[in-house]
Amino acid sequence: MIMNPPSRSATRCPRHPFMRLASSVLCLGAMIHMAYAGAATAASTAVASPAATPAVTTPVADPLPAGSYTRELTLKQLGRLDTMNLQGVEASDAVNFNIRADEVVNGAQLVLSYSYSPALLADLSQINVLVNDEVAASLALPKEGAGQPQQQVVNIPPHLITEFNRLRLQFIGHYTMQCEDPQHSSLWAKINVGSELKLSVSPILLKDDLSILPLPFFDRRDASQLNLPFVFAKQPDNATLEAAGALSSWMGALATYRGANFTSALGQIPQQGNAIVLVESKEAVQLGSLQIPELKGATVTLLANPNDPRGKLLIVAGRDAAELKLAANAVAMGSKALVGSSVVIDHLDPLSPRQPYDAPNWVPSDRPVRLGELIETKQLSVSGYNPGNITIPVRLPPDLFNWREAGVPLDLKYRYTPQQESANSSLLVSLNNNFMKSMPLPSLKSLDGGDNLLAMLKKDESLPREARVLLPLGVASPRSQLQLRFMFDYIKQGECRDIIIDNMRGLIDPDSSLDLRGFNHYIALPNLGVFNDSGFPFTRLADLSQSAVILPDGSGPQEWGAYLTVMGRFGESTGYPATAVTVVQPKDVQSVRDKDLLVFASGANQPLLEQWASHLPAGFEGTGHRFSLSDLTLRVRDWISPDPQANQRKPRLQVTYSGANSSTYLAGFESPLKSERSVVVIASGKPEGLADATAALIGGDQYKDTIQGSLAVVQDKRITSLVADEQYYVGDLSLFKRMQWMLSQNLLWMLLVTVCGLALVSLLLFVFLRSRARKRLS
């Protein structure tokens, strides 16, 4: 049983020195009375384990409705990456959680793991659990459990939970009955990110109407990884696989940070759940218990799964390859316009061709981009003395040339409420947790504004400021985060005068901008790191119109699933479906020689690996494995270095060993068919091993390392980057920058150019002097 402590406003004793003695007895009596009253009303709110032991006491739950199941999400899975540190007399932090459109909540529990300061007064300190700003529980902080890990189970009333929800944890702490410092170091509580939210839900049936797409295949309310099967009515040809790639990349773009994994099956719909079914046929098709009638054109249909009435099937069909791709592109790019259970697509206007680096998710490099384009405007405003970071995702093109560049200019416009007095108030700018710059936030006394300042403050209580910050690309990555933090100085007024007034505000103007126009696009490859992070170089054009996928001879569901998952990764990077990707077999590789090539292999079914063996740093030879190693494996260094030559380590050793063909690897090299074109190979000794490679691309906490270099070997959850081979460069440099770069790379060239320059200057000087001499003689 948890007693509900009285609120601060009801229990706080008067601070005036002449009233302190007279009011202390009345204040103490009021607190005791309210504590007993609160105990009666909060008895059923939360169930606590004994204070001295961190064991969980599970409440007796009501019987669940038939078909119900439980979803369990930690605070980390809900987006909180580190411990919640709650400090001061009052502090709070929050995470969001949402309920899927095809679920209804029967009950909810929060298994809260936390610790708190031993200096707290138990009668006046508490942790409140709020859902959508409604109190679900108030947890006491007794002396017996202070300073130790604690765990409590809180029952959350289902009526507090809506479609979109905010779980807020509020700490109220006091360490003395007398005058106290509101920011004293003893006022703290920590909430572990392992705290778990358990939701008991029941499924509900959605209507068979295409207007609900992408539901139920993807639900933006669901924070878990997307897992979706694709079903091919018959052995898919290249056009069918291209249509499936457009759909999986569309789903991958929707899933964003959650990640998306796709599996495939041939001629068999799943026994339960959802699936996307691709059909190319001029006649009626029978897939188990599913009957697809004769088609009348490019058709898109949403219907219930015959094997599971709670599941849905999205049928994308056509009488030939052209109609099937038309239907798939209509879903990937125009699903919001579709209405009804089934539609026939008559026409899809061709869009203007995509331009390099115009992916919707990437920061444009041909114009300044407003910060308001990268994040919701409401997230640019904060309040409080220490409100935390404003985090802005900055997805940069991975091939920005960073040699001798000062940095990306950030033109920052911001407002804040100036304090009467302050010494250390500032706005901090960081990139990927690397400090960049600090801008002071002057107080009213230190500002030299005179009458103009006073007139300006009368019109607007906040004070507008501007600053320019150069963000060095040396600490940037394709998935960068810009962190802006207002920190207001807390001035101690003296004993019994320290009262926090919640009037501090800070705002980043949405018109603040980043400008990438001064940077060339030029990068050294192979670099599996940028392939892993952003799909580069394939995603240089968002629709993958300059990319081709080469699937092995006799490919099956494992190869198709790996291909679809990688397409989903590309969509996650660009935010756009891969509507122009080309799929071919090895025998047709010459037809795509002008494209970047993504090659899949499992065992010995990919003849290109044998043809290109001299270019590959790894391979399968009979029952053995071959790996080329360089000095890179002996060096402790960063994979991405500002020095473009840092990754050039030629192989010095070749290792061959025998064993089961279970190794899985990713390798990159320059295309043997055309210079400045790239090849990335995803290969495994057996078809099911390709799932290990795609899982490593998606990543997660279970992986200690990431895919880097030019060769990465995946063994279960371990990734080993073995070699960085000779490199090649792709992209364009301005004439002057190219000359500088070429001279810096070759000392002999620099000497030669210097000698030629001196000779040319000498010749011009000689001609000029001879001309002057002739004029004097004449």
Side-chain angles (χ1 to χ4, degrees), residues 216-235:
F217 309 97
F218 170 76
D219 193 327
R220 62 193 178 98
R221 307 163 184 83
D222 191 349
S224 58
Q225 179 178 312
L226 172 64
N227 293 282
L228 181 64
F230 277 67
V231 177
F232 298 102
K234 62 179 182 180
Q235 185 77 19

Side-chain angles (χ1 to χ4, degrees), residues 5 17 83 175 466 539 591 633 754 757:
T83 301
Y175 65 92
E466 294 186 9
T539 51
S591 65
T633 59
T754 302

Side-chain angles (χ1 to χ4, degrees), residues 571-584:
E572 186 274 334
S573 171
T574 62
Y576 191 84
T579 56
V581 67
T582 303
V583 176
V584 298

Side-chain angles (χ1 to χ4, degrees), residues 303-577:
L303 49 79
N305 185 344
N307 299 330
D308 179 11
R310 296 172 185 158
K312 299 289 184 186
L313 301 178
L314 180 64
I315 312 297
V316 181
R319 293 171 295 186
D320 53 32
E323 288 185 352
L324 178 59
K325 293 187 68 173
L326 174 62
N329 289 344
V331 172
M333 295 187 294
S335 61
K336 293 183 179 180
L338 304 180
V339 179
S341 60
S342 183
V343 297
V344 177
I345 309 298
D346 298 321
H347 182 68
L348 183 67
D349 289 330
L351 302 178
S352 58
R354 303 298 303 191
Q355 299 299 316
Y357 310 106
D358 70 348
N361 282 354
W362 291 9
V363 175
S365 56
D366 59 348
R367 63 175 177 84
V369 59
R370 299 168 55 252
L371 296 189
E373 299 177 52
L374 305 178
I375 191 175
E376 293 183 16
T377 302
K378 64 181 181 181
Q379 298 183 37
L380 294 172
S381 178
V382 295
S383 62
Y385 278 86
N386 189 9
N389 289 334
I390 299 173
T391 302
I392 303 173
V394 181
R395 201 138 196 179
L396 300 172
D399 62 343
L400 295 177
F401 192 62
N402 187 38
W403 184 66
R404 293 187 176 180
E405 298 288 351
V408 177
L410 168 64
D411 291 319
L412 200 59
K413 302 176 182 179
Y414 57 97
R415 292 172 173 266
Y416 71 99
T417 51
Q419 299 167 276
Q420 289 292 333
E421 296 182 10
S422 67
N424 300 311
S425 296
S426 57
L427 171 60
L428 306 181
V429 179
S430 301
L431 182 64
N432 296 333
N433 294 317
N434 295 284
F435 173 74
M436 296 288 109
K437 189 174 182 180
S438 174
M439 279 78 70
L441 303 177
S443 65
L444 289 174
K445 289 188 177 182
S446 61
L447 286 167
D448 184 17
D451 295 335
N452 292 333
L453 175 61
L454 293 176
M456 182 169 52
L457 290 176
K458 288 179 181 178
K459 296 179 181 179
D460 190 343
E461 65 177 3
S462 62
L463 187 63
R465 307 279 284 182
E466 294 186 9
R468 167 164 281 208
V469 182
L470 295 178
L471 304 176
L473 286 179
V475 299
S477 65
R479 298 168 180 261
S480 292
Q481 286 189 333
L482 176 65
Q483 291 116 359
L484 307 171
R485 184 171 185 175
F486 286 93
M487 297 190 69
F488 295 103
D489 194 10
Y490 176 68
I491 305 297
K492 293 184 180 295
Q493 302 295 323
E495 186 177 3
C496 297
R497 298 180 61 193
D498 289 333
I499 300 175
I500 291 182
I501 301 176
D502 185 21
N503 65 345
M504 305 312 301
R505 299 291 184 269
L507 171 70
I508 302 297
D509 194 318
D511 287 332
S512 303
S513 62
L514 279 168
D515 193 350
L516 302 179
R517 287 178 298 177
F519 289 83
N520 296 117
H521 292 276
Y522 194 70
I523 189 173
L525 296 177
N527 186 339
L528 292 177
V530 296
F531 172 78
N532 180 45
D533 289 338
S534 59
F536 192 84
F538 304 96
T539 51
R540 180 174 172 270
L541 275 86
D543 60 356
L544 269 64
S545 56
Q546 293 187 3
S547 302
V549 177
I550 305 176
L551 288 171
D553 297 323
S555 59
Q558 286 85 4
E559 290 88 353
W560 305 333
Y563 153 69
L564 294 174
T565 300
V566 174
M567 291 297 106
R569 288 288 295 171
F570 290 168
E572 186 274 334
S573 171
T574 62
Y576 191 84

Side-chain angles (χ1 to χ4, degrees), residues 6 48 53 81 91 93 139 150 169 196 260 296 321 330 350 383 391 406-407 487 492 497 598 628 665 702 717 744 758:
T53 58
L81 300 181
D93 208 338
L139 310 180
Q150 299 293 306
L169 298 167
E196 193 171 53
K296 298 181 180 179
S383 62
T391 302
M487 297 190 69
K492 293 184 180 295
R497 298 180 61 193
L598 178 62
S628 301
Y665 70 86
Q702 64 271 36
K717 302 301 179 184
S744 70
L758 291 175

Side-chain angles (χ1 to χ4, degrees), residues 401 403 405 517-522 731-742:
F401 192 62
W403 184 66
E405 298 288 351
R517 287 178 298 177
F519 289 83
N520 296 117
H521 292 276
Y522 194 70
D732 296 303
L733 293 176
S734 62
L735 179 61
F736 181 70
K737 182 70 73 174
R738 181 176 290 275
M739 291 180 60
Q740 284 185 308
W741 171 248
M742 290 179 60

